[in-house]
């Protein structure tokens, strides 16, 4: 039987030092909820490096390919149009004219793909129920989430109080 | 901690100059029976064009570093403070680079070369003295006679006024920044910091005009019938990235000497980001200029591009691909931007490639189809590089490598990335 402890702080530096202390005792901090990015917290609590960049690259590549394939079909294969006398029979010779749209479509796909992936992964898509333990973490408070065995609960709460937590809540896991 | 300009480093700069002279001489020997385009574009013209190309490139590196330094003051950035002394050393080449350009301009006015078509006074005269039509009269240049200094009346000398006005003002700013940096070390406080912000803000406004005007006067007017409104930014983006690469290389060199231990991975990462981002600024401007002209296809606009695509196709697309694809493929990953070895290799390659880019703005215009980027050009590049490094390292050795009493010094040392 384990419980989830939510330790609330009102200052990001106190939180950061507190997290360092807790981690140095060998306790795993599951998550930190904060109204703004706290510099250095990911290294302290051991958040894995984001793989969003890899997704972004794949989305960008998809966008670029779609744009090029699409324009080749529209402008070269299906209905070649004479625009200002530009070569309309060859993709390669007409490439400079296609670059701006390719660029825009790449950015479009990357941006939307990243935003959707990010929200899906965090379960924050529109309409999803908010998961943060305390609405005050969207204003000016910081919350540290720790899963702990019931037997070690009292010890942990004492430690958290010592690091400057202003409020401690618990929930059955 | 101070950097001492060791005899080994001195020998290296000397070696660059000697290697440059050897390559230069070898190039002259190889090209001794080279066929130039016509009697105006012979060997003499080629050497003047190379002097301009190399002079402007290294002038631009100092200029880019000066802009970057001013930008840091205005934005009150902290992350560059720990290696600010490198930027302050790079800007010491500024007056020397300006002198080289001035020498080329004066030589042109003395008709020692024909780089600048508009320096020929004959093209402004509609009729000859005997009343007949002047066969070399050029109405387009003639309309611009007020802008160039060959007009009659009060605007004569306008060109030199622009050159001396902007370069003189920028030199003054560079000297003042250098002077105040030491002054701040001695005095402390925030007074100098705020004075620097005010001066840098004024400098950036002047720079906005000056960088474009200098690029038009010195480089764009080689093709006097052609103009492009974004030309100034395009030239500037190329020299800015060259300045950043020079800073990175000097930083890596100093760290390899066991100095500047306070420069952490985060600082290197930031410089790597600049190198990455500026590559795309340059590519964007290059392509924006090329695509609009290619698409509109107006004869007087496409002429310089036609000349380059016919006779310099390989150089043009090779340098374009290197400057765009190399940073994109190798520096996209965040970890790659922190790796000094990779930054150095990619940096040096695109540094040379940006040099080729600048030569391609000058050589096809001044040498027509008979120009080439060969050993002569590269030899002169090495001579300039050696001299540049000598001046910059000497300036670097003269003062402590870390500033004291700058308000953002602590923040900069504890940079979080």
């Amino acid at each position: 039987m384990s419980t989830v402890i939510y330790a609330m702080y009102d200052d990001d530096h106190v939180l950061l030092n507190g997290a360092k202390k807790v981690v140095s005792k060998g306790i795993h901090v599951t998550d930190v909820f904060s109204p703004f990015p706290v510099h250095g917290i990911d290294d302290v609590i051991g958040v894995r490096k984001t793989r969003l960049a890899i997704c972004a690259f794949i989305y960008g590549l998809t966008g670029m390919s779609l744009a090029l394939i699409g324009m080749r079909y529209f402008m070269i294969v299906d209905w070649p149009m004479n625009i200002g006398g530009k070569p309309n029979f060859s993709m390669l010779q007409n490439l400079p004219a296609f670059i701006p749209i390719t660029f825009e479509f790449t950015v479009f796909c990357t941006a939307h793909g990243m935003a959707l992936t990010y929200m899906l992964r965090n379960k924050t898509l529109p309409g999803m129920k908010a998961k943060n333990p305390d609405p005050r973490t969207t204003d000016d408070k910081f919350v540290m989430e720790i899963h702990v065995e019931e037997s070690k609960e009292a010890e942990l709460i004492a430690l958290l109080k010592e690091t400057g937590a202003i409020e401690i809540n618990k929930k059955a896991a | 901690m101070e950097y001492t300009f060791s005899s080994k480093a001195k020998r290296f700069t000397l070696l660059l100059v000697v290697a440059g002279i050897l390559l230069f001489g070898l190039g002259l020997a190889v090209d001794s029976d080279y066929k130039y385009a016509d009697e105006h574009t012979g060997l003499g013209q080629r050497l003047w064009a190379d002097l301009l190309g190399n002079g402007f490139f290294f002038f631009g590196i100092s200029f880019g570093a000066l802009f970057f330094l001013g930008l840091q003051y205005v934005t009150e950035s902290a992350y560059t403070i720990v290696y600010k002394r490198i930027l302050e050393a790079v800007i010491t080449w500024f007056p020397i680079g300006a002198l080289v350009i001035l020498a080329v301009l004066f030589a042109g006015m003395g008709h020692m070369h024909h780089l600048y078509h508009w320096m020929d006074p004959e093209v402004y005269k509609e009729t000859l003295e005997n009343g007949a039509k002047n066969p070399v009269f050029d109405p387009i240049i003639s309309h611009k006679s007020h802008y160039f200094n060959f007009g009659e009346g009060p605007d004569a000398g306008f060109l030199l006024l622009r050159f001396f006005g902007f370069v003189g003002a920028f030199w003054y700013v560079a000297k003042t920044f250098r002077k105040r940096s030491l002054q701040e070390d001695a005095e402390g406080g925030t007074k100098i910091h705020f004075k620097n912000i005010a001066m840098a803000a004024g400098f950036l406004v002047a720079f906005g005009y000056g960088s474009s005007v200098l690029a038009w006067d010195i480089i764009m007017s080689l093709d006097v019938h052609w103009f492009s409104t974004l030309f100034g930014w395009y030239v500037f983006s190329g020299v800015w990235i060259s300045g950043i690469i020079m800073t990175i290389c000097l930083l890596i060199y100093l760290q390899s000497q066991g100095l500047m231990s306070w420069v952490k991975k985060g600082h290197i990462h930031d410089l790597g980001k600049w190198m990455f981002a500026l590559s795309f600024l340059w590519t964007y401007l290059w392509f924006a200029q090329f695509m609009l002209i290619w698409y509109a296809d107006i004869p007087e606009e496409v002429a310089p591009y036609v000349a380059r695509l016919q006779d310099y196709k390989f150089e043009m697309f090779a340098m374009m691909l290197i400057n765009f694809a190399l940073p994109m493929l190798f520096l996209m990953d965040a970890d790659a931007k922190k790796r000094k070895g990779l930054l150095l290799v990619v940096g040096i390659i695109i540094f040379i490639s940006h040099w080729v880019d600048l030569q391609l703005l000058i050589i096809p215009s001044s040498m027509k189809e008979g120009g080439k980027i060969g050993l002569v050009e590269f030899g002169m590049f090495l001579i300039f590089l050696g001299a540049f490094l000598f001046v910059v390292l000497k300036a670097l050795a003269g003062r402590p490598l870390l500033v004291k009493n700058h308000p953002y010094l602590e923040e900069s040392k504890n940079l979080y990335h």
Side-chain angles (χ1 to χ4, degrees):
Chain A
M1 190 64 197
S2 71
T3 47
V4 186
I5 305 278
Y6 294 110
M8 187 178 285
Y9 294 83
D10 58 356
D11 186 274
D12 53 335
H13 283 104
V14 179
L15 168 92
L16 191 62
N17 291 331
K20 272 182 197 158
K21 202 160 177 185
V22 170
V23 168
S24 70
K25 291 260 164 25
I27 299 165
H28 176 64
V29 178
T30 322
D31 212 345
V32 165
F33 299 87
S34 73
F36 54 80
V38 179
H39 277 191
I41 194 76
D42 8 3
D43 292 336
V44 173
I45 67 169
V47 174
R48 265 190 305 163
K49 221 183 128 185
T50 173
R51 286 169 297 176
L52 195 60
I54 301 169
C55 294
F57 184 73
I58 294 169
Y59 297 138
L61 217 56
T62 314
M64 190 182 87
S65 314
L66 276 179
L68 286 175
I69 293 169
M71 273 183 296
R72 180 170 188 279
Y73 178 70
F74 309 142
M75 305 297 294
I76 308 285
V77 178
D78 189 43
W79 200 276
M81 275 189 280
N82 187 343
I83 300 173
K86 288 284 163 289
N88 57 8
F89 47 82
S90 152
M91 178 78 181
L92 194 63
Q93 283 189 35
N94 212 358
L95 197 61
F98 297 154
I99 294 288
I101 293 163
T102 311
F103 171 74
E104 298 296 347
F105 202 65
T106 308
V107 173
F108 176 88
C109 285
T110 315
H112 284 77
M114 272 171 86
L116 287 173
T117 310
Y118 175 81
M119 289 196 282
L120 195 68
R121 188 72 185 73
N122 287 336
K123 304 200 173 63
T124 52
L125 278 173
M128 282 184 171
K129 205 171 173 305
K131 224 182 53 149
N132 60 330
D134 197 311
R136 282 174 292 170
T137 59
T138 62
D139 184 13
D140 62 346
K141 296 286 187 286
F142 307 82
V143 163
M144 200 153 82
E145 181 187 306
I146 301 172
H147 291 253
V148 72
E149 293 290 319
E150 218 161 346
S151 55
K152 289 182 183 162
E153 205 185 289
E155 192 190 333
L156 178 66
I157 289 176
L159 176 67
L160 287 171
K161 284 242 167 84
E162 198 185 305
T163 61
I166 54 162
E167 193 181 314
I168 289 177
N169 298 305
K170 55 184 169 178
K171 198 178 82 177
Chain B
M1 227 185 314
E2 267 198 56
Y3 167 72
T4 42
F5 193 10
S6 64
S7 56
K8 202 175 151 203
K10 273 182 192 146
R11 266 205 304 278
F12 177 70
T13 58
L14 188 69
L15 190 75
L16 279 176
V17 174
V18 171
I21 291 171
L22 286 179
L23 276 183
F24 184 78
L26 187 67
L28 285 182
V30 169
D31 289 344
S32 58
D33 51 359
Y34 183 76
K35 286 273 175 295
Y36 292 101
D38 53 49
E39 78 274 17
H40 285 309
T41 58
L43 183 65
Q45 174 99 336
R46 179 180 182 184
L47 296 182
W48 281 110
D50 296 346
L51 195 65
L52 179 64
N54 286 298
F56 191 88
F57 184 69
F58 287 95
F59 168 78
I61 290 175
S62 296
F63 201 24
L66 180 62
F67 166 75
F68 193 60
L69 189 63
L71 194 66
Q72 304 311 315
Y73 285 136
V74 169
T75 54
E76 293 192 75
S77 304
Y79 66 98
T80 47
I81 304 304
V82 287
Y83 49 84
K84 193 160 83 90
R85 281 283 147 82
I86 298 182
L87 294 170
E88 283 169 10
V90 172
I91 60 182
T92 48
W93 180 265
F94 190 82
I96 306 173
L99 278 180
V100 174
I101 296 170
L102 199 62
V104 176
L105 286 179
F106 274 133
M109 287 171 192
H111 303 292
M112 291 163 77
H113 59 71
H114 302 87
L115 291 178
Y116 298 104
H117 187 32
W118 49 267
M119 281 186 179
D120 182 0
E122 291 304 311
V123 300
Y124 297 95
K125 293 174 187 151
E126 197 164 357
T127 50
L128 294 173
E129 271 168 32
N130 58 17
K133 267 190 127 181
N134 182 2
V136 295
F137 170 67
D138 194 319
I140 293 173
I141 304 178
S142 190
H143 280 304
K144 297 178 182 173
S145 64
H146 295 289
Y147 186 74
F148 298 123
N149 60 336
F150 284 85
E152 285 163 19
D155 52 0
F158 186 34
L159 174 94
L160 289 178
L161 187 72
R162 285 196 304 272
F163 188 84
F164 281 117
F166 279 122
V167 171
F170 297 153
W171 186 19
Y172 173 72
V173 171
K175 274 181 75 121
T176 314
F177 280 163
R178 273 179 67 78
K179 195 180 79 202
R180 281 187 189 164
S181 185
L182 279 187
Q183 217 180 331
E184 193 174 46
D185 277 9
E187 287 173 20
T190 53
K191 197 173 142 232
I192 291 175
H193 180 66
F194 288 112
K195 266 163 79 182
N196 274 339
I197 294 175
M199 178 173 238
F203 161 66
L204 286 189
V205 174
F207 177 90
Y209 294 97
S211 63
S212 271
V213 168
L214 288 177
W216 300 336
D217 287 354
I218 299 165
I219 298 184
M220 197 166 82
S221 72
L222 290 164
D223 274 310
V224 70
H225 295 116
W226 179 80
F227 57 87
S228 159
T229 39
L230 60 70
F231 192 82
W233 311 326
Y234 163 58
V235 170
F236 162 65
S237 67
V239 299
W240 187 10
I241 185 172
S242 310
I244 294 284
I245 293 171
M246 183 54 78
T247 310
I248 294 178
C249 292
L250 286 172
L251 184 57
I252 293 173
Y253 163 70
L254 287 174
Q255 288 212 317
S256 76
Q257 302 294 303
L259 299 160
M260 302 205 98
S261 53
W262 52 84
V263 174
K264 301 278 165 21
K265 260 208 161 107
H267 301 105
I268 304 269
H269 188 189
D270 282 336
L271 278 175
K273 280 186 240 173
W274 272 111
M275 190 160 118
F276 183 70
L278 289 180
S279 290
F280 299 119
L281 176 72
W282 177 87
T283 312
Y284 182 89
L285 291 171
W286 186 91
F287 185 73
Q289 179 172 289
F290 173 78
M291 206 240 346
L292 289 178
I293 289 173
W294 173 82
Y295 209 96
D297 209 12
I298 300 170
E300 63 258 36
E301 283 188 357
V302 295
Y305 273 110
V306 169
R308 281 159 180 79
L309 284 175
Q310 271 173 358
D311 303 308
Y312 301 86
K313 199 171 188 171
F314 170 74
E315 289 94 327
M316 184 153 151
F317 284 109
M319 78 79 193
M320 163 68 194
L321 268 181
I322 290 174
N323 284 344
F324 169 58
L326 210 66
M328 168 146 131
L329 293 177
F330 287 96
L331 297 182
M332 194 190 274
D333 190 41
D335 290 330
K337 296 188 204 82
K338 296 174 193 165
R339 284 170 57 192
K340 284 190 248 173
L342 190 68
L343 283 181
L344 198 64
V345 172
V346 173
I348 287 174
I349 295 174
I350 59 176
F351 184 77
I352 294 172
S353 186
H354 275 287
W355 173 79
V356 173
D357 168 41
L358 192 68
Q359 306 314 305
L360 281 180
L361 293 177
I362 292 170
I363 290 175
S365 307
S366 50
M367 298 300 292
K368 312 291 176 242
E369 66 273 18
K372 69 171 188 175
I373 299 177
L375 288 177
V376 179
E377 283 72 20
F378 197 68
M380 204 182 267
F381 168 71
L382 287 183
I383 296 172
F384 267 84
L385 185 65
F388 178 87
L389 285 178
F390 184 83
V391 170
V392 168
L393 289 177
K394 202 157 174 287
L396 206 54
R399 38 179 71 190
L401 282 177
L402 186 61
V403 294
K404 264 195 305 196
N405 300 330
H406 191 282
Y408 291 127
L409 182 59
E410 277 309 305
E411 187 180 337
S412 184
K413 273 183 180 169
N414 295 302
L415 180 79
Y416 177 80
H417 59 283

